[in-house]
Amino acid sequence: MPSVQLSNPDLNDRVHRGRGATTNRVGRFEAFDRERTDDGWSLPKTGREMGDAPEPARVGTELIRDTSRSVIARNTSPDVPFDRSINPYRGCEHGCVYCFARPTHAYLGYSAGVDFETKLLYKPDAAEILRHELAKPSYKVAPIAMGTNTDPYQPVERKLRITRAILEVLSKHNHPVTIVTKGAGITRDLDILAPMAAKGLAAVSVSVTSLDHRLSNTLEPRASTLKRRLDAIRILSAAGIPTGVNLAPVIPGLTDMEMERIMTAAAKAGARRAGYILLRLPGETADLFTEWLAHHKPDRAGRVLSLVQQTRGGRRNDPRFGSRMVGSGPVADMIAQRFKLTRKKLGLDQPRSVLNTDLFSVPGAASQMGLFD
């Protein structure tokens, strides 16, 4: 069983309140490293002699304008059901410590740790850029996926409404969209999504990791509560929007025992289908998750990491297509079998929604045609 130790013995005294990551190491592409140290002045001497711990630090969220000139990202991955996606935000305030997208923050000069949760890049003109991209003569319509990297309904969306602006463009031009989210705030856009779904243009999947609210509070500290996510499934489904549940990630030894109960709760709420992703720990995420285990679940840390490695060929991560989402080996096979049996029993094995691409209208096409009237 792997040995698990905190990289810094004083880490327990400095965990950032309300954040998932326990550290904030510099990005892997930076020229210099830095490490926080305690010079003994963080508490009065009397407090230290009494054994008091310093108050955990609070770190605010910083919004940074993203100057990217495009919003549609392309991929050719053979194990995902889409070839294009939109991420209105880079970084995610939900703070899910296991997030496979964390290492991407290093490309921006930030840490995959606390920076990923607190330094958020946003695209205020995303909707207008999207409109121009859809109007290009070379554009060929196919469903756009949202929520594939960072969550489009993280808390900052309530203020910035960038996701909503994007949906307004997609709705106006009858462009199909799929959404994956942990944010119950998606129900605020019901007035857009329900009419789109009636035309076969929208489908949603709500991700649920655990039914244990105490675990979720540290594992994904700023994501919507389980009750609100189940309520969202109920509301979306009742509005006629094809809605599924996504068990993501399934963490061996920590959340895998909840699979059947999560799927049962989602089915009762109106979910039509279910999917799952086995825990992935690429790049810096592996160290961040290991530190989280050592701090929050020290009694289970060794066991969880052992099981993770058993599903990843003896490593903490396996990036190969075909196995990166579901793992390999006996432990992964058992999880897959349990999932398939439960999905069938609960009727959550309905086919993935095939969205309509025939209704798409090119932005500006109608006004241009008017020139010939």
Side-chain angles (χ1 to χ4, degrees), residues 47-344:
R48 288 202 165 272
E49 291 172 349
M50 294 172 63
D52 294 342
E55 183 70 14
R58 285 186 179 275
V59 183
T61 299
E62 178 183 356
L63 298 178
I64 304 164
R65 186 184 179 112
D66 188 338
T67 58
S68 300
R69 296 183 179 181
S70 64
V71 295
I72 300 178
R74 305 280 181 162
N75 83 84
T76 57
S77 303
D79 54 355
V80 294
F82 58 87
D83 68 352
R84 66 201 69 184
S85 61
I86 295 177
N87 291 288
Y89 306 102
R90 301 166 83 174
C92 187
E93 201 174 7
H94 280 165
C96 305
V97 71
Y98 50 72
C99 183
F100 64 83
R102 282 183 176 273
T104 62
H105 238 43
Y107 293 107
L108 305 174
Y110 300 124
S111 168
V114 177
D115 279 357
F116 179 79
E117 309 169 39
T118 59
K119 297 183 184 299
L120 307 182
L121 278 75
Y122 69 102
K123 304 174 184 179
D125 51 355
E128 187 59 32
I129 293 174
L130 172 62
R131 188 178 289 108
H132 286 298
E133 291 187 73
L134 297 182
K136 290 181 179 179
S138 60
Y139 184 78
K140 304 297 182 183
V141 63
I144 286 177
M146 298 184 70
T148 59
N149 204 44
T150 57
D151 204 304
Y153 287 100
Q154 54 184 288
V156 72
E157 168 62 15
R158 180 184 292 273
K159 172 184 177 182
L160 298 181
R161 296 163 65 93
I162 295 175
T163 296
R164 182 176 178 87
I166 289 171
L167 290 179
E168 288 173 341
V169 171
L170 296 176
S171 175
K172 180 178 180 179
H173 300 288
N174 291 319
H175 193 294
V177 63
T178 64
I179 300 174
V180 178
T181 183
K182 289 186 176 75
I186 189 174
T187 58
R188 295 194 297 269
D189 291 339
L190 205 64
D191 59 319
I192 301 176
L193 292 171
M196 290 185 73
K199 300 177 184 179
L201 296 173
V204 174
S205 184
V206 177
S207 294
V208 178
T209 308
S210 173
L211 300 178
D212 183 342
H213 71 276
R214 288 175 296 184
L215 176 60
S216 292
N217 283 346
T218 57
L219 195 61
E220 42 193 27
R222 298 199 179 193
S224 296
T225 63
L226 168 69
K227 181 182 183 303
R228 294 192 64 211
R229 283 185 243 181
L230 292 177
D231 285 344
I233 292 175
R234 187 175 296 107
I235 292 169
L236 294 167
S237 181
I241 301 168
T243 306
V245 62
N246 192 28
L247 282 67
V250 173
I251 305 175
L254 191 63
T255 67
D256 66 300
M257 65 288 294
E258 300 186 65
M259 287 175 56
E260 291 81 1
R261 290 191 291 130
I262 291 173
M263 294 166 73
T264 299
K268 289 181 179 178
R272 291 174 43 174
R273 66 184 311 277
Y276 84 98
I277 298 176
L278 195 66
L279 178 68
R280 296 170 55 196
L281 297 175
E284 294 93 328
T285 306
D287 287 336
L288 291 167
F289 182 69
T290 299
E291 290 172 346
W292 180 92
L293 282 171
H295 178 74
H296 293 286
K297 296 291 180 182
D299 57 327
R300 294 200 220 175
R303 173 64 174 164
V304 170
L305 287 180
S306 174
L307 290 172
V308 168
Q309 291 177 189
Q310 290 177 51
T311 68
R312 299 298 182 184
R315 297 172 292 174
R316 291 187 296 181
N317 188 57
D318 179 2
R320 295 176 301 168
F321 293 134
S323 64
R324 62 176 182 156
M325 301 296 188
V326 295
S328 60
V331 174
D333 292 345
M334 181 176 63
I335 289 173
Q337 185 66 10
R338 285 172 51 202
F339 174 80
K340 291 176 182 177
L341 290 173
T342 305
R343 181 178 62 176
K344 183 176 181 179

Side-chain angles (χ1 to χ4, degrees), residues 328-362:
S328 60
V331 174
D333 292 345
M334 181 176 63
I335 289 173
Q337 185 66 10
R338 285 172 51 202
F339 174 80
K340 291 176 182 177
L341 290 173
T342 305
R343 181 178 62 176
K344 183 176 181 179
K345 176 183 177 181
L346 295 173
L348 293 173
D349 55 352
Q350 297 184 32
R352 188 182 301 274
S353 299
V354 178
L355 300 184
N356 192 347
T357 59
D358 297 333
L359 301 178
F360 176 62
S361 61
V362 179

Side-chain angles (χ1 to χ4, degrees), residues 8 10-16 22 35-38 54 56-57:
N8 188 321
D10 293 328
L11 180 63
N12 287 337
D13 290 341
R14 296 205 297 269
V15 172
H16 302 281
T22 54
E35 183 176 353
R36 179 177 174 177
T37 60
D38 184 359

